[in-house]
Amino acid sequence: MTDELTDLIGLSRAELAAEMAAIGEKQLRARQLWHWIYGQGVTDFAHMTTLSKGLRERLGRSYVVGRPAVARQQASDDDSRKWLVRFADGNEAEAVFIPDDGRGALCMSSQIGCTLTCKFCHTGTQRLVRDLTAGEIVGQMMVARDSYDEWPSTKQDRLVSNVVMMGMGEPLFNYDNVAKSLKILMDPDGIAISRRRITLSTSGVVPLIRRAGEELGVNLAVSLHAVTDEVRSRLMPINKKYPIRELLDACRDYPGAHNARRITFEYVMLKGINDSAADARELARLVKGIPAKFNLIPFNPWPGASHVSSSPAVIKRFSRILNDAGYSAPIRVPRGRDILAACGQLRSDSQRQRLSLLKARRAAGIADDHHPAPVDG
Ligand code: SAH
Ligand code: SF4
């Protein structure tokens, strides 16, 4: 029966070696297997021709090289692709690929839902269902690679060249599984995406920022979104625990940050909330001494949201002030808007149902607060 088979996706190299040792196989076998799974993208043991026929059959009796089911795939007219992947227990998460001039970034989810409740974020309206396992995080990459036919890993000019941990969830609240999955993605004999092409985005879980820098060495993006604790705490309740000063101190100490490898500060542009010229000047002052760049994100609306994006002119002014202070501050071009594919906009079907319920409640005149508690189980 399939549910008795162990999925090899998501095992670390050491765990895979231990599995092979347990069935009396040499380390070399684990290395060959790793290469088939992550270098070649092969899921059928029968095709792993460097392994003996006997071993292939034995593997097939105990293991599987799995993929999450793709519950839905959507393609945008700007070539973005979004997958709703379904895991063995029926839970779903989204991943989206955003192309950029022959390359592109896969935006991956780390949790189903989120414990945090940032007011502008759609995921923030959904409570945490559970963390994703390392296998489920890696599985999102496997689905993307399959979808774009990007095997073997040595293929030149791969489209899925970068990874951003910017989907559903707070990656640093699922640190162990995120770390394990990123190490699998970085392995040079497998998926082989260099740490320089991986960006982890956090809402500011201060105690884990340094650890991520030391152990993973990936690029750091920080969702800042405000220049005062008062405004930031309102938008992002995590700020009450880790206020701006502590967050920026952690950024100052981030291992591996230097001028050629800056920390990205994400800043969602909310009309009348955080977008004045004074805010922009204060922002430049705050990050002084940090190798920093900005990413200005026009607020991406969702049904039921209480915010509105700043106008293009206001966003441009904000960007110019940061530029004049010596910082790169590009405005993120909304991609995949027609399929709601933008990062930070990923959501599940259960959420969609809940939002339509919420809208029905609103239409019926039943009050809800600004940030509704989930109404489903
Ligand atoms: N939890 C992590 C990563 C996921 S969110 C974090 O908060 O950083 C990825 C990015 O999208 C964050 O910067 C988040 O603030 C931003 N975001 C969330 N909702 C958004 C929206 N509706 N419009 C624009 N950006 C949004
Ligand atoms: Fe969670 Fe990030 Fe959304 Fe905040 S912005 S609710 S941390 S996913």
Side-chain angles (χ1 to χ4, degrees), residues 72 84 92 94 347-354:
R72 199 170 57 234
L84 180 67
E92 293 170 342
E94 286 183 336
R347 56 181 183 170
S348 70
D349 260 8
S350 60
Q351 258 179 295
R352 210 159 294 158
Q353 283 157 11
R354 181 152 32 76

Side-chain angles (χ1 to χ4, degrees), residues 110 114 116 118 120-123 165-171 201-204 221-225 236 266-269 297-302 332 343-345:
S110 56
C114 189
L116 300 173
C118 305
F120 46 82
C121 174
H122 204 172
T123 307
M165 293 302 297
M166 290 187 189
M168 293 169 75
E170 168 48 58
S201 172
T202 180
S203 58
V222 170
S223 297
L224 195 55
H225 304 329
M236 308 180 71
E266 293 157 281
Y267 199 94
V268 59
M269 300 297 303
I297 318 174
F299 170 68
N300 210 343
W302 38 275
R332 192 188 285 175
C343 278
Q345 177 90 26

Side-chain angles (χ1 to χ4, degrees), residues 236-276:
M236 308 180 71
I238 194 175
N239 191 69
K240 292 178 199 149
K241 190 153 189 196
Y242 305 119
I244 294 178
R245 237 192 68 144
E246 285 178 33
L247 176 55
L248 294 180
D249 282 347
C251 294
R252 241 170 230 113
D253 293 345
Y254 189 71
H258 48 77
N259 277 344
R261 226 167 147 234
R262 294 164 191 268
I263 293 175
T264 303
F265 288 98
E266 293 157 281
Y267 199 94
V268 59
M269 300 297 303
L270 303 169
K271 184 176 183 176
I273 306 276
N274 63 358
D275 60 353
S276 71

Side-chain angles (χ1 to χ4, degrees), residues 204-226:
V205 188
V206 166
L208 287 171
I209 288 179
R210 168 179 280 276
R211 184 163 170 212
E214 275 167 1
E215 291 180 1
L216 305 171
V218 296
N219 303 317
L220 181 68
V222 170
S223 297
L224 195 55
H225 304 329

Side-chain angles (χ1 to χ4, degrees), residues 57-83:
E57 283 169 3
R58 251 179 332 128
L59 289 171
R61 283 196 291 274
S62 305
Y63 302 103
V64 59
V65 180
R67 293 287 191 267
V70 177
R72 199 170 57 234
Q73 175 175 320
Q74 283 173 280
S76 164
D77 48 23
D78 66 12
D79 288 335
S80 309
R81 256 182 224 180
K82 182 170 76 165
W83 302 270

